[in-house]
Amino acid sequence: MTASPLARRLTTTDAVVIGLGSMIGAGVFAVFAPAAAVAGPWLLLGLGIAGLVAYCNATASAQLAAQYPTSGGTYAYGRARLGPWWGFLAGWGFVVGKTASCAAMALTFAAYLVPPFWQRPVAVAAVLALAAVNLLGITRTAALTRVLVIVAVAVLGLVVAAGFLAATRHPAPGPGPGVAVGAYGPGVAGGAYGVLQSAGLLFFAFAGYARIATLGEEVRHPRTTIPRAVLLALGLAVALYLVVGSAALLALGPARLASSAAPLADVVRAAGWDRAVPVVAAGGAAAALGALLALIAGLGRTSLAMARESDLPRPLAAVSARHQVPHRAELAVAGAVVVLVCTVDLRGVIGFSSFGVLVYYLVANLAARTQTGEHRRYGRPLQLAGALGCAVLVVTLPWQAVVGGVAVFAVGIGYRLVRLRLAPPPGEGGDDGSATGG
């Protein structure tokens, strides 16, 4: 076993592509229906709020990554700036929540391609295949992600063209003077709370921009590349969501969009392009696969960082001498995901992952607020806005997600307390979680 550093092989383009692969996942093919159900005609306002919160969080991650260009993302930043416990909470929420998300994403990918009986075997095969790609090196991961992103974006371009064509033929009803929200049909809520709920849904659909930061030890010229790649990937993803959301609203209208089980497929149907529906399904499968690939890579690097500090078993800190990847961590992640895929269907019950994401970005914003001098790139008000945005989005989560999230963190805290009692790591001195100043 070795705790050697990883190889710096990723260019800015590679980092942006991996970020896009994380954000243009299966969510973009499904999220607009539940978002329209709660926001009604103000769906795009919800998207704007989600984009603003994401921007604040992204600036925090970018600023921290420039100072700490290592693996682990907010786990590493929280430890350095706020103390070991803060870093652990961020890392634990990410690893546990995103492992469950991997299982859900694998099953979603399989659902696009095969009947229910074959979905679990196909999902397992997908996880194993992507883990194998990751084990071959980060450049192979970036190359496959590039292919999957191109396929997904091309299909979304087809959907956008169909949506605007359908809108010119049969304009959907839109907001007008004296039109009440209820006029858009049953199931369309609207109102301020509905807009916030839609912002939460949309935020979680493209909250993968910090995946770039978890790969900080593998990026060339990280102090300039990571901040640039994080913001560029986020900007491209939000723009894409905005165009796709506009096309869907124009083609279907809020009520029909809200009730759709497959909103982007219904958009191409509205244009009379029924033969393109299988193409949309293929795009959804490619997007799910791209997000899964980036998730496995990010989980491997965060697990590596946590193992280096003994917050996960130390053997996971091994780095392959040949391919310079955290091979044991990658294999452990793949094994855990395969077990989940074979035993449970998490697609409808991973709200605790959203809770974990918000804790992750809350820690990032708090850590970035402590940076000073040459390391400060953005004003502290942005980090304050990001932290408040995370708190507001917690309010939009279903209560089941909050309860599940609290339970997951309680298990993590218990695990670390036991581990510290059995084997306190050198230099933590009782590990009271006080700030280290970094």
Side-chain angles (χ1 to χ4, degrees), residues 11 37 55 69 78 88 120 197 212 231 241 244 255 278 332 347 351 357 395 424:
T11 65
Y55 173 76
F88 175 80
R120 290 189 192 273
Q197 281 186 301
I212 301 166
L231 296 178
Y241 272 71
V244 174
R347 281 174 287 182
V357 167
V395 177

Side-chain angles (χ1 to χ4, degrees), residues 194-212:
V195 170
L196 287 178
Q197 281 186 301
S198 73
L201 290 166
L202 291 159
F203 174 83
F204 298 121
F206 61 76
Y209 44 87
R211 203 78 71 250
I212 301 166

Side-chain angles (χ1 to χ4, degrees), residues 73-106:
T74 299
Y75 168 75
Y77 314 147
R79 278 188 69 91
R81 303 302 312 177
L82 303 172
W85 270 107
W86 286 96
F88 175 80
L89 291 175
W92 180 264
F94 181 84
V95 168
V96 175
K98 292 305 183 181
T99 299
S101 293
C102 279
M105 196 63 67

Side-chain angles (χ1 to χ4, degrees), residues 405-421:
V406 170
V408 165
F409 279 96
V411 170
I413 291 169
Y415 161 77
R416 192 165 197 267
L417 286 172
V418 170
R419 197 268 298 168
L420 289 173
R421 183 175 294 274

Side-chain angles (χ1 to χ4, degrees), residues 362-421:
L362 175 62
V363 173
N365 280 293
L366 294 177
R369 275 183 59 80
T370 68
Q371 290 177 281
T372 57
E374 63 179 296
H375 301 300
R376 173 152 295 285
R377 294 170 175 242
Y378 306 97
R380 282 190 174 86
L382 276 179
Q383 282 103 58
L384 177 61
L388 290 175
C390 290
V392 169
L393 292 183
V394 165
V395 177
T396 73
L397 293 176
W399 68 267
Q400 297 93 333
V402 176
V403 171
V406 170
V408 165
F409 279 96
V411 170
I413 291 169
Y415 161 77
R416 192 165 197 267
L417 286 172
V418 170
R419 197 268 298 168
L420 289 173
R421 183 175 294 274

Side-chain angles (χ1 to χ4, degrees), residues 12-330:
T12 300
T13 301
D14 292 331
V16 170
V17 166
I18 290 174
L20 286 174
S22 303
M23 290 183 276
I24 305 173
V28 71
F29 287 80
V31 73
F32 291 109
V38 293
W42 310 113
L43 170 66
L44 299 184
L45 177 58
L47 177 58
I49 294 172
L52 179 61
V53 175
Y55 173 76
C56 294
N57 292 337
T59 58
S61 294
Q63 181 172 286
L64 288 160
Q67 183 175 357
Y68 303 101
T70 187
S71 293
T74 299
Y75 168 75
Y77 314 147
R79 278 188 69 91
R81 303 302 312 177
L82 303 172
W85 270 107
W86 286 96
F88 175 80
L89 291 175
W92 180 264
F94 181 84
V95 168
V96 175
K98 292 305 183 181
T99 299
S101 293
C102 279
M105 196 63 67
L107 289 166
T108 299
F109 160 74
Y112 276 111
L113 297 182
V114 295
F117 178 78
W118 292 102
Q119 286 176 12
R120 290 189 192 273
V122 169
V124 168
V127 172
L128 295 178
L130 296 185
V133 171
N134 275 318
L135 289 172
L136 292 175
I138 193 62
T139 54
R140 304 287 170 77
T141 300
L144 179 56
T145 303
R146 184 178 291 110
V147 173
L148 295 171
V149 166
I150 289 172
V151 172
V153 171
V155 172
L156 292 173
L158 173 71
V159 171
V160 169
F164 286 116
L165 176 62
T168 59
R169 292 178 177 176
H170 308 287
V179 179
V181 169
Y184 293 97
V188 180
Y193 185 67
V195 170
L196 287 178
Q197 281 186 301
S198 73
L201 290 166
L202 291 159
F203 174 83
F204 298 121
F206 61 76
Y209 44 87
R211 203 78 71 250
I212 301 166
T214 65
L215 307 176
E217 205 170 311
E218 296 163 279
V219 175
R220 299 176 189 170
H221 315 297
R223 297 185 189 278
T224 54
T225 296
I226 297 177
R228 185 183 305 145
V230 167
L231 296 178
L232 182 56
L234 175 62
L236 290 172
V238 172
L240 183 64
Y241 272 71
L242 178 62
V243 173
V244 174
S246 298
L249 271 178
L250 289 171
L252 303 179
R256 189 176 169 194
L257 179 58
S259 61
S260 175
L264 300 195
D266 284 344
V267 169
V268 297
R269 288 192 185 98
W273 296 357
D274 291 45
R275 292 183 179 180
V277 171
V279 177
V280 175
L289 211 59
L292 179 59
L293 178 62
L295 269 175
I296 293 174
L299 279 166
R301 275 65 182 176
T302 302
S303 299
L304 166 71
M306 295 183 73
R308 285 172 171 171
E309 302 292 345
S310 298
D311 278 334
L312 287 178
R314 286 284 297 175
L316 297 181
V319 174
S320 165
R322 180 178 180 183
H323 298 295
Q324 293 185 287
V325 296
H327 57 295
R328 291 182 184 174
E330 295 275 3

